[in-house]
Amino acid sequence: MTELNNTTTPNVSETENSTPQPKKFQTLRGFQDLLPEFQDYYTMIKKAARHRGRQSGFKRITTPIMEETGVFSRSLGESSDVVRKEMFTMTSRSGKLMTLKPEATAGIMRAYIEHGMHTLPQPVQLYSIEPQFRYDRPQKGRFRQFHQVDFEVLGIKDPSVDAQMIHMAYKILEDLHIADRVDIQINSLGSAENRAEYIEALRDFFFDKKQHLSEDSQARLETNPLRILDSKDEDDQILVSMAPKLKDFLSEESKQYYETVKEYLRELEVPFYENEGLVRGLDYYCDTVFEIWDKSQGAQNAIGGGGRYDGLAELLGGQHTPAVGFAMGVERIVQHMKDAKITVPAKDKVHFFVAQLGEEGKKKALKITTNLRDLGYHAIGGMGKSSMKAQLKMADKSGARWAIILGEVEVRENKAILRDMHLGKQEILSLDNIEQAVIEKLNDSPDTYALGE
Ligand code: HAM
């Protein structure tokens, strides 16, 4: 009872003898605001992804941000780290378990089945650019909300498709000028049966060596022995080097498939490394898997990853649908672009700042500003009641190339001052058709678009 009486109102902090101050809210841990500077990078990444996607016949899909939990737990595997520890799951009012999407593939496959896309000409090629959510421990490059560009080809199994996906990921990174900062790692996991046999062999091998494994790997031996292969622990690595090799468990068919994928990658001139320890953290994969690593960090903070997942459709209640895909993390790409000092075109530049004084000046400024915008130029104005000095300061801060100054005297004389913000020079112009006159001075192409283009 006492406790209840002592509770303070949430969201209000009080200091001694002062009135309660509303709490200042901040983003949740692992979440971040994507500020305008980030958006310039994000726009470029989206453009590169869309462009490469369109060139190869991909169409965009957006699945809901939330799915019934089973969509993810069945797809990614109950023993995967994502399902065991990283899902944002909540219960609906009716008691249904729902999860914020931790990745795109499962939802896209659910949509493929739900909309009967197997009746469309195959393969169905879809891409998405979406936020994803994982309740991971936040650190550099690892967020609880992050964004993925994701590409999936559903309804076909052919090594040339796998090779094209890896090629496409590489090309996007080339477009973004960071391909030379990454290494592509590839491996084959074989079929589900090959993997099951191999997992049994790993269990047998580690049976009497369990106590020599790291704590994490001891747990993995129970949940997902494959993950022991990519343990970073040195002692684990020594044991792994003596353990049975996955490649010895691949069927002839899977071996041949893998050889052909590599042959096509060479043909497409995509540099890659074979990595026998690459197993990926999600359970739905079979045959080809790949990851895109930062050259300097290796497996830590991979930029992207993907592979083939021929068994997923059946796990989600659909008919057999072979598929392959990959996703890349936007935040990690942006970090690389920044580290590589890649500058991105900022489309938000200001061409004209229109400053004004007095009622007449304000009316004229309003008209000139909106006319310039209609003509495709970026125009902003000091529309408040600030002094001319303050407005010119704003013009300077805005980065505007030109300031159009409508002082009371000028307006009365049907004139305006045009100030070159770079050179500090100015001249007087007539207000008649001033828009055309200033556009000629600017000598920059308009930023126009036509719907339907
Ligand atoms: P993933 O390897 O789990 O694969 O994630 C792909 C990429 O998403 C990672 O390489 C990384 O860049 C980014 N990412 C993952 N978690 C985080 C995080 N916490 N913070 C920042 N970035 C992160 C998948 O998600 C599969 N669905 C890929 C795929 C598509 N496989 C087949 N189709």
Side-chain angles (χ1 to χ4, degrees), residues 82 102-105 134 136 141-144 146-148 150-152 280 282 284-285 291-292 301-307 309 324-332:
V82 176
E103 57 102 59
T105 315
R134 293 187 192 178
D136 210 345
R142 201 192 288 165
F143 303 97
R144 288 185 172 165
F146 58 97
H147 298 75
Q148 281 184 343
D150 179 278
F151 291 83
E152 312 288 355
R280 304 279 295 137
L282 312 171
Y284 50 56
Y285 292 110
E291 277 185 8
I292 302 164
N301 282 352
I303 291 163
Y309 50 97
V324 62
F326 71 93
M328 298 199 284
V330 171
E331 286 75 4
R332 293 187 186 171

Side-chain angles (χ1 to χ4, degrees), residues 62-78:
T62 301
T63 60
I65 226 146
M66 242 186 187
E67 299 268 359
E68 199 174 328
T69 301
V71 170
F72 304 116
S73 54
R74 270 211 234 148
S75 304
L76 316 185
E78 296 285 354

